[in-house]
């Protein structure tokens, strides 16, 4: 492996990884949140940092645990990125109504015998930032690890939900036909498996794609995707695809579209391409114009890019915690925020209604039984009608319409798969929802 | 040359280049500003952009003219960067008092026979953005090329002036001894030429360094610097320095410090190191805390970094035009802005007083005769007491205390050396100053 290969696009290993439960990485570690705190460990401290405190390319180093607990707040310092501008106007401050009893909210983790309280769950989940909004006001806010209120954190696959939201907006506005075949919008994808899929199948990830995320197999598609997505000039002799778009053209089919849910990041990047073709704007620009400039965001966000400047629509976003809270509140309020309507209510209604639950069941998510995936949002179909954006290592925007609650969480859990984190997260969210409803 | 070498740190060729008049690049071109407009030329338009419209690594491509007219607004999309945060508060809007007669202000370019007016000078200088403040109010604002009011542009060597400003603040505050030998503050530089130089000699670039910027010579120091500064993992077999700091340790002397001005970017990076050691904060963080969070900035700025995350203190800054106008106004108001004092008046008085004019004269700048360089600001010693931050390809913050005027300009002139641009810039600034004084 030449050193070019080592400067990666921060694409696959991190962002796709095991958000899909079936490929959960086993990462039992004795290193708890306190002993892996990136500030305590001194990553990148000193001028220059001592060799054993450097966090550098390649990705296999910078995204290794516990270094990744520093990296998740510093993606742009390791690779090229594109701004998601908040615009130039004043931020709209969040209102605060803190509830001191929060830390004592108690719940029983899935599969456990003994209860845990909220404060304990923060450490258990390697939480870097957590914001709870109730009735539109911040009732709880917490930062640790690498994050503070002025910092940004990798959103990982929550990026998908923003890409999906943009697509759903375009669908509802009549600018994107969800029934259209992808090839009619992006002719370059005609001979790929995406070509005869509908836009909706891409949005809901019910495409049937031949795409392996088996990390143990050096010939797995995920590695080819990673090489294509690298922002570096390709190594001499490299003949594979250059960039997200060229890679997508090579994806082959595996069965019939529309029958089973298959969580594959390449759907999000295909959707990013579709959006760009329909609007003439890439995901970074459209996300700025439709969302970030309209929510009173405090901070710009950004997306990683490939060597041709294409934003990583499937996992490249980094943003401030409060701004993700604003996105959650926007979803809770069905497309309105700060008294302004950003998009029709139908957009959120469509997402909240969920996708094909039978198709979803085939994927076998044990912590998400009965759920579905719609426009790249996870829909729990629980009593509260909750839905969420989710990313590996514990990233979440959790929207509970019944409790009038939004939770935004950034974390750096050692295991990528949320299936490892859900047992202490989902019951905690439910307990908090009930606590808030009782206030 | 392996492809690793082609992913450069955006360091030397661009930022050092020929700000030093003696190394002026001859770039007579028939391509005027209109015919090289990056929007018209369609750089990076399309999904993906067609191959002949891509702007990608390596630097020899992305910083070639006319592609660089796109690149100067998109540095972060091509390499890793570190944020210079504006903080989270509302920007302080600039006041406007536009003067419609501005475009007709007339002047005679140096060495020319016929007059030119202000509007003509914008095109002649490949201006991307120009802001004029008079008595603290915006009297003129113009965007073209790749820039708009919400965009950022490479500041090139104006970065040095901000690094120098931070150092001067620390000197005046008594936190940095300008008479101290560099080796006492940064022991790693003990055996380099910087070791026995004083902090002041570094700040004023009167160090005597063996450092060649001869682009025709593949063994010139500038190329070794470029390789060291690259944010990429070093190629296999590479045994040279990794990062700005390690490179600086290798710099050898050439004569006696303090006798002649020698414009060498490595002084700015040495100063960045000194500042970091003295404050415990790198230039990006200190620039945020001391300046960007205090000027009511509209946008975050950013700095490029090497592979170890060290910001490029000598040329890595990109920022919004109005924010550079705010910096200029801060200098004009001697350390105050928006009714708030950011640092003692003495800081600006020290800079404005200038450096050693005899030492400066030895460098032979034909358009800057009688001038000097102080704390990395250019001091004209003209009737108006003007001083400036300057960067290759026409970047300027020009402060005229007599006319109570600040000009901030971003541009993408094909020739790096400001000596090629000064003949139409400096007389234009003087004419505008006189026009404003007559209002």
């Amino acid at each position: 492996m030449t050193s070019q290969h080592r400067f990666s696009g921060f694409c696959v290993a991190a962002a796709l990884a095991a958000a899909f439960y079936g490929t959960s990485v086993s990462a039992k570690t004795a290193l708890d949140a306190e002993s892996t705190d990136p500030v305590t460990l001194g990553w990148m401290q000193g001028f220059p940092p001592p060799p054993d405190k450097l966090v550098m390319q390649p990705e296999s180093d910078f995204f290794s645990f516990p270094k990744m607990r520093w990296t998740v707040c510093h993606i742009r310092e390791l690779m090229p990125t594109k701004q998601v501008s908040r615009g130039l106007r004043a931020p709209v401050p969040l209102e605060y109504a803190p509830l001191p009893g929060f830390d004592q909210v108690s719940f029983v983790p899935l599969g456990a015998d003994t209860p845990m309280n909220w404060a304990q769950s923060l450490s258990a989940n390697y939480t870097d930032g957590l914001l709870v909004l109730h009735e539109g006001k911040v009732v709880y806010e917490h930062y640790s690890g690498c994050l503070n209120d002025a910092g940004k954190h990798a959103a990982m696959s929550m990026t998908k939900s923003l890409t999906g939201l943009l697509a759903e907006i375009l669908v509802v506005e009549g600018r994107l036909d969800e029934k259209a075949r992808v090839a009619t919008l992006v002719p370059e994808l005609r001979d790929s498996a995406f070509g005869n899929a509908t836009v909706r199948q891409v949005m809901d990830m019910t495409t049937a794609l031949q795409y392996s995320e088996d990390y143990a197999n050096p010939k797995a598609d995920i590695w080819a995707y990673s090489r294509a997505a690298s922002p570096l000039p390709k190594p001499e002799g490299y003949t594979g695809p250059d960039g997200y778009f060229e890679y997508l053209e090579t994806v082959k089919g595996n069965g019939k579209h529309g029958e089973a849910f298959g969580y594959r990041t390449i759907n999000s990047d295909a959707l990013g391409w579709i959006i760009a073709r329909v609007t003439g704007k890439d995901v970074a620009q459209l996300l700025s114009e439709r969302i970030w400039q309209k929510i009173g965001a405090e901070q710009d966000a950004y997306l990683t890019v490939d060597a041709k400047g294409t934003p990583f629509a499937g996992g490249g976003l980094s943003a401030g915690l409060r701004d993700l809270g604003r996105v959650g509140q926007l979803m809770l309020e069905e497309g309105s925020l700060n008294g302004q309507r950003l998009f029709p209510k139908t957009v959120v209604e469509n997402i909240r209604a969920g996708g094909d639950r039978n198709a979803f069941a085939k994927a076998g998510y044990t912590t998400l039984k009965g759920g579905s995936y719609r426009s790249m949002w996870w829909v729990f179909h629980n009593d509260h009608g909750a839905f969420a954006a989710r990313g590996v290592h514990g990233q979440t925007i959790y929207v509970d319409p019944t409790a009038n609650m939004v939770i935004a969480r950034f974390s750096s859990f050692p295991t990528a798969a949320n299936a490892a984190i859900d047992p202490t997260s989902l019951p905690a969210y439910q307990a908090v929802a009930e606590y808030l409803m009782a206030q």
Side-chain angles (χ1 to χ4, degrees), chain A residues 118-142:
Chain A
W118 179 259
Q120 291 167 327
S121 78
L122 297 181
S123 285
N125 288 330
Y126 298 74
T127 303
D128 297 325
L130 205 145
L131 186 80
V132 183
L133 291 154
H134 181 231
E135 296 174 350
K137 292 180 180 148
V138 177
V139 291
Y140 189 85
E141 185 171 21
H142 168 89

Side-chain angles (χ1 to χ4, degrees), chain A residues 378-401:
Chain A
W378 303 84
V379 183
F380 296 94
H381 298 290
N382 60 13
D383 291 346
H384 284 205
F387 58 105
R390 289 158 61 91
V392 286
H393 301 282
Q395 323 314 319
T396 310
I397 303 172
Y398 184 92
V399 183
D400 181 334

Side-chain angles (χ1 to χ4, degrees), chain A residues 147-166:
Chain A
L147 196 64
N148 59 39
D149 65 345
K152 302 191 225 311
H153 193 288
M156 312 307 294
S157 291
M158 293 200 287
T159 312
K160 295 175 172 68
S161 304
L162 288 160
T163 301
L165 173 61
L166 292 174

